[in-house]
Amino acid sequence: MSVLELILELKNANLKIRVGENNKLKIFAPHGKISDELKKKISERKEELVKYLNETYYGTVKEAHNIRKAPSLPYYEVSHAQKRLWIIDQFEKEERALNFVPNAHTIKGHLDIEAFSKAWDTLAERHEVLRTIFLNIDGTPMQKVLPSLPGPLVEYIDLSNTDDADDRAEALSEEENNTPFDLEKGPLIRVKLIKVREEEYLLLFTLHHIIADGWSNMVLQNELVTLYDAYSKKEDNPFEPLKIQYKDFVYWQKEKRLASEEKYWLDKLAGDLNFIELPYDYDMEEESYHGKSIFHTIDEETTAQLKKIASQANRSLSHLVFTVFNVFLHEISDQEDLLVGMAVANRNHLELEKLIGFFINTLVIKSTITDEMDFKEIFDHVSANLIEAHEHQDYPFDLLVEKLNPERVSKKQPLFNVMYSYQSFNDVNLNLDRNKKNVLSLTDIIDDHALATEATHQAVNKAYFDLTNRVVDQGETILLELEYNADLFEQETIESLFEIYEDAFITAAQLDNN
């Protein structure tokens, strides 16, 4: 097992690894728990880990200081990913709603509205990106940070004295889903607190994707809880000022030399770049994002066996599951070259973990599988591809598309049509079934303020890709989701595909006994 593989295994176990003062290795474990097996691996490879982390920026504290504040300018460049979203907003109005990050929560209990509103305003003061707008300067998108917002961020609506409060609240939620943002005027975050009845509120807050990603959503919610807790107790803002802001990251990214990363990706993706030919039921007549999902769970016995096989091969479970997914794709498509998209947080510096912003990057994992390869060969091949891709993850996906300039297929995202994501149990704040209500991190308010809060279903599922596989390691079992474009597939087809996918897991789990 390489050092990077070990680091990835630690990350998949939700452990954070850092090099502190005097080259002391620091491990942050959820709830202070770390398995004896991982303790042994860390102890045996301690010097290698320190050396690797010091030579790269992957997870080190020291290198975080290399991202310095950008010079004071009237306007700042946008990131490559932001530029794509800006173009969509300018020229593809029908896709605007895809670039929202919507949230809806029902809050029950006594809510200190003044403290709640103050907490939101503090977030806007703390994170420049929440008061950033995007201007067209001579045909080029530029971001401008406003000194302040024009007024309070929270719009308070009292429906408690109306007879149809629930219907009105639902209508406001629907209206929120369909209201576009104005990138030039801002703000690019909207917050509505709707009082439905005594001690019951509907909280709606929506961000434009150009200023936030999924990680940002968690940062925002966690800081909101902390600020509300402090302000409701008449205490001061507990946070230290941020050392850097999102615009500083973009400035650093633009200045960073990425020659080796660029060469890797251009070499890796040289030649024909074909979508995976899935067993479609229909052709896409017009652009559609009508998504549906099916969920299955890999049982405890199979999961335990898969973890055993991964451990024996000195690989992480995430590598094994992704290998199984590629075997499944090879079987249903009969293709040897497979291109699968994989999102990464792209926050490899400690200070970036605290920021709200659009950091997420996409990797294109190319694997080649033939009928002559046995599973071990496929496992080694796919695992090596994953490690290489993560070593070169800094290269922006949108810049890669620009350099490769692939033939664009109408109504398709560039380079790949199948997406994959993997999360360990401790990373998950939401149940993946968006049609169910799920308790979120905002429930932390309950402890000291007797408030109950739960996520409320707000928007119809949108399928950005033909097929998306989300995997959650729940500890003793593995949860699988296949999200599909319902205008391309019948549900029965996806259910049949799921049977093939599950059979691939069972086959892989039995290999250890052969």
Side-chain angles (χ1 to χ4, degrees), residues 14 44 78 133 174 222 226 235 284 360 404 414 442 483:
N14 203 36
E44 292 174 348
V78 300
I133 57 175
E174 184 65 26
N222 289 335
T226 302
E235 296 174 354
M284 188 176 287
I360 193 168
L404 288 171
L442 287 175
E483 177 189 82

Side-chain angles (χ1 to χ4, degrees), residues 8-64:
L8 292 174
E9 183 176 354
L10 296 176
K11 287 179 68 66
N12 288 327
N14 203 36
L15 302 175
K16 294 183 178 180
I17 181 169
R18 301 281 182 252
V19 177
E21 295 181 2
N22 300 319
N23 276 343
K24 185 176 181 180
L25 194 65
K26 294 184 177 181
I27 307 292
F28 301 91
H31 311 299
K33 296 180 180 179
I34 181 170
S35 69
D36 292 337
E37 182 183 0
L38 280 178
K39 285 181 181 177
K40 182 180 179 182
K41 289 182 179 180
I42 293 169
S43 177
E44 292 174 348
R45 309 288 293 276
K46 183 178 178 180
E47 291 185 3
E48 292 177 80
L49 285 167
V50 171
K51 183 175 183 294
Y52 182 88
L53 292 172
N54 277 331
E55 289 177 350
T56 69
Y57 59 81
Y58 191 95
T60 66
V61 175
K62 180 170 57 180
E63 283 291 326

Side-chain angles (χ1 to χ4, degrees), residues 260-271 366 400 404:
S260 62
E261 286 87 348
E262 180 176 288
K263 184 179 186 305
Y264 166 79
W265 287 111
L266 295 183
D267 289 347
K268 188 71 176 179
L269 299 178
K366 181 179 180 180
L400 177 63
L404 288 171

Side-chain angles (χ1 to χ4, degrees), residues 273-287:
L273 300 172
N274 298 314
F275 291 116
I276 297 175
E277 287 296 326
L278 302 170
Y280 300 106
D281 293 306
Y282 307 103
D283 293 328
M284 188 176 287
E285 299 295 334
E286 58 184 30
E287 203 153 23

Side-chain angles (χ1 to χ4, degrees), residues 80 152 197 217 221 279 379 381 436 492:
H80 296 284
R197 55 188 58 87
N217 219 20
Q221 292 186 37
F379 191 13
H381 168 69
K436 296 179 180 178
E492 292 77 9

Side-chain angles (χ1 to χ4, degrees), residues 149-357:
L149 293 180
L153 190 55
V154 177
E155 178 185 356
Y156 179 65
I157 304 170
D158 190 349
L159 302 177
S160 60
N161 293 320
T162 63
D163 295 330
D164 55 349
D166 290 320
D167 291 339
R168 291 192 182 191
E170 184 176 347
L172 286 169
S173 179
E174 184 65 26
E175 178 185 342
E176 176 63 29
N177 288 339
N178 295 305
T179 301
F181 286 97
D182 188 329
L183 297 187
E184 292 199 351
K185 292 183 179 179
L188 302 183
I189 175 174
R190 292 191 297 261
V191 184
K192 288 183 173 68
L193 181 64
I194 304 168
K195 185 176 182 179
V196 181
R197 55 188 58 87
E198 285 302 316
E199 298 197 343
E200 182 176 335
Y201 304 84
L202 176 63
L203 171 65
L204 306 174
F205 63 96
T206 308
L207 300 95
H208 195 290
H209 225 324
I210 203 167
I211 64 166
D213 51 24
W215 185 305
S216 300
N217 219 20
M218 290 189 289
V219 170
L220 185 150
Q221 292 186 37
N222 289 335
E223 291 192 355
L224 174 66
V225 169
T226 302
L227 288 165
Y228 175 78
D229 181 68
Y231 292 156
S232 62
K233 296 175 180 177
K234 310 303 180 186
E235 296 174 354
D236 294 333
N237 178 355
F239 291 114
E240 294 290 331
L242 294 167
K243 295 179 180 178
I244 56 174
Q245 296 282 343
Y246 181 74
K247 72 176 190 305
D248 303 314
F249 162 76
V250 176
Y251 185 84
W252 168 83
Q253 186 187 56
K254 295 281 186 174
E255 295 292 313
K256 194 173 187 294
R257 296 177 181 177
L258 296 170
S260 62
E261 286 87 348
E262 180 176 288
K263 184 179 186 305
Y264 166 79
W265 287 111
L266 295 183
D267 289 347
K268 188 71 176 179
L269 299 178
D272 295 333
L273 300 172
N274 298 314
F275 291 116
I276 297 175
E277 287 296 326
L278 302 170
Y280 300 106
D281 293 306
Y282 307 103
D283 293 328
M284 188 176 287
E285 299 295 334
E286 58 184 30
E287 203 153 23
S288 163
Y289 302 96
H290 179 206
K292 291 185 178 180
S293 291
I294 296 179
F295 298 83
H296 283 230
T297 300
I298 303 299
D299 62 52
E300 293 182 12
E301 182 180 354
T302 304
T303 299
Q305 188 63 18
L306 291 169
K307 289 186 174 183
K308 179 182 176 183
I309 292 171
S311 178
Q312 289 174 341
N314 288 322
R315 297 285 191 274
S316 68
L317 179 64
S318 63
H319 284 202
L320 179 58
V321 173
F322 187 65
T323 300
V324 174
F325 184 56
N326 276 267
V327 170
F328 158 71
L329 292 174
H330 170 67
E331 184 170 348
I332 66 173
S333 68
D334 200 32
Q335 286 177 235
E336 294 186 351
D337 290 332
L338 304 169
L339 297 176
V340 179
M342 180 182 291
V344 291
N346 198 27
R347 295 174 184 248
N348 297 322
H349 296 256
L350 183 60
E351 292 301 325
L352 299 184
E353 296 181 359
K354 306 172 186 178
L355 300 184
I356 294 173

